[in-house]
Amino acid sequence: MTTLQRIHQLVVMLALPAVLGGCTAASPSDVVPSPTFAPRVAAVQVDPVAQYARDRLSTMSLRQKVLSLLMVHVPGESPSDRIDGDLLEVGGYILMGDNIPSSLGELKADTAALSSEADLPVLVATDQEGGIVRRVPTDDAASASELRSKAPEATFDAFAERGALLQSVGVSVNFGIVADIASDTSSFIYERSFGATGADAGARVAEAVLGESMVLSTLKHFPGHGAAPGDSHSSIPTTSLTFDEWERTHAVPFDSGIAAGAPLVMFGHLAFTAVDAEPATFSTRWHEILRDDLGFDGIAITDDMGMLERSGVAEYSDQVANAVRAIEAGNTMLLYVGAVDTEGIVAAVARAVDDGELDEAVIDDAALRLLELRRELSGQTGRFVRCLTECSALAN
């Protein structure tokens, strides 16, 4: 056999397995190994803010978590000078009229001093609706009573001016957007409402949220003060309005504000008896409606808890019992304008957890939401580092 014939025979033998559909195997020496590739692993995107919050939450005691759910008022100018003990660990402070100094520069310095950690600032809130409800007196932007007769776009401009003012003095949360419908001029909420119908009020509520986007907007007073005659500062306003009726009317401004991106909703101490006999603050059902029906995923904060104690209803006269009930219902944060028994609240919540009355996971969920919001305010994205010695969290 010639050399050319031997080469031809070898080529045929090597090609034979392919021709026969792989029925004849080539010898190991004839097989060329295929290149091997590492399996492709999809990159997992980690939200640095959420990661920071989860890591920090894992280091917190129950006491620290409960305190982080409280927003309190410290009386007088330069309130940071009087903050000690448990008040150092609360999640936020509300500024009232007595906290406002004579100049905006002083106010900015006061608010800056309230946060002991730059990487996890506290929430600094105030009621700045404009008009008859304003804490910073230099706010001359139009109020709801003026804006209800103007085009909705005028509300954007007014709240853009209002939000810029608050941002300039270090206020991060505005309890300033009244989403209540009010058609009765004798109602105490009428002058603070944007309209007498869901459509009118809703259009202006949405514009207000968009306008003051430089601060955190709050819609109040869910599920709607205008539906329940009376003043929740001294009673529990009550209505028999059905859920279907509410959904067609008083729900609309809240729905509009949520769609516009409002990160906070304030619960009113209001009883819609056809939905739940309990005031909305204590109503699991109303919290479910806010979360599930309206799709709200932000911070649910109570109105001033002291109002419940002053309502004249004996059942609501116990501050620490009220705190447990408010957390159980689903509130993320509890607001206290008056004196607050932090030690009593922490102890009562701990007992409720030990007794199985309150699931600690509910507290964890609320604390985590607030940690995420506060971390976002810092503008930092580094990981949380727990130090072995006395120190604060570090940001990369």
Side-chain angles (χ1 to χ4, degrees), residues 84-203:
D84 57 14
D86 284 349
L87 296 187
L88 290 168
E89 298 194 62
V90 300
Y93 302 98
I94 180 171
L95 302 181
M96 303 299 288
D98 64 322
N99 297 127
I100 309 302
S102 58
S103 76
L104 296 182
E106 291 175 280
L107 178 56
K108 183 176 182 179
D110 287 348
T111 58
L114 291 172
S115 293
S116 59
E117 296 183 53
D119 56 325
L120 192 70
V122 295
L123 301 179
V124 180
T126 198
D127 297 289
Q128 197 74 15
E129 300 173 15
I132 61 173
V133 179
R134 56 178 182 165
R135 307 305 180 208
V136 183
T138 57
D139 177 5
D140 294 322
S143 66
S145 63
E146 300 168 279
L147 293 166
R148 61 159 56 208
S149 61
K150 298 179 182 292
E153 293 75 17
T155 306
F156 180 97
D157 296 336
F159 276 79
E161 182 179 338
R162 184 161 291 126
L165 171 63
L166 294 178
Q167 183 187 47
S168 73
V169 294
V171 173
S172 54
V173 177
N174 186 18
F175 298 147
I177 301 180
V178 174
D180 305 308
I181 297 171
S183 56
D184 182 357
T185 56
S186 66
S187 169
F188 90 100
I189 205 72
Y190 179 83
E191 194 172 347
R192 300 162 58 192
S193 168
F194 286 107
T197 68
D200 285 347

Side-chain angles (χ1 to χ4, degrees), residues 6 23 28 31 41 45 150-151 156 211 218 231 264 271 275 277 284 326 331:
R6 283 197 295 271
C23 295
V31 176
V41 178
Q45 296 295 323
K150 298 179 182 292
F156 180 97
T218 307
D231 187 342
L264 290 93
V275 179
T284 302
N331 290 285

Side-chain angles (χ1 to χ4, degrees), residues 300-380:
I301 186 167
T302 70
D303 204 344
D304 174 24
M305 292 292 288
M307 294 160 64
L308 288 162
E309 299 170 53
R310 299 189 297 272
S311 68
V313 179
E315 183 182 355
Y316 308 142
S317 62
D318 186 333
Q319 184 183 84
V320 297
N322 289 344
V324 174
R325 293 176 70 171
I327 294 172
E328 284 177 333
N331 290 285
T332 318
M333 197 168 214
L334 280 55
L335 174 64
Y336 293 90
V337 175
V340 53
D341 180 5
T342 55
E343 183 178 348
I345 289 172
V346 169
V349 171
R351 283 194 302 273
V353 170
D354 289 343
D355 294 344
E357 176 188 348
L358 175 61
D359 189 341
E360 190 169 350
V362 173
I363 300 168
D364 287 349
D365 177 72
L368 186 65
R369 289 177 189 269
L370 288 166
L371 286 170
E372 289 178 351
L373 185 63
R374 291 169 60 189
R375 181 61 172 174
E376 286 174 356
L377 287 176
S378 75
Q380 300 182 31

Side-chain angles (χ1 to χ4, degrees), residues 10 13 20 22 38 45 57 63 66 70-71 87 96 107 132 152 212 228-230 243 249 275 283 287 340 346 360 372:
L10 179 60
M13 291 175 64
L20 299 178
Q45 296 295 323
L57 181 68
R63 170 185 162 276
V66 173
L70 308 183
M71 177 178 281
L87 296 187
M96 303 299 288
L107 178 56
I132 61 173
E212 67 169 16
F243 176 79
T249 55
V275 179
S283 170
H287 283 82
V340 53
V346 169
E360 190 169 350
E372 289 178 351

Side-chain angles (χ1 to χ4, degrees), residues 188 223-242 250 268-280 286 308 311 313 316:
F188 90 100
H225 218 310
D231 187 342
S232 58
H233 290 88
S234 55
S235 65
I236 304 295
T238 301
T239 178
S240 59
L241 195 75
T242 67
H250 295 271
H269 306 311
L270 320 167
F272 283 60
T273 55
V275 179
D276 191 337
E278 293 274 20
W286 275 114
L308 288 162
S311 68
V313 179
Y316 308 142

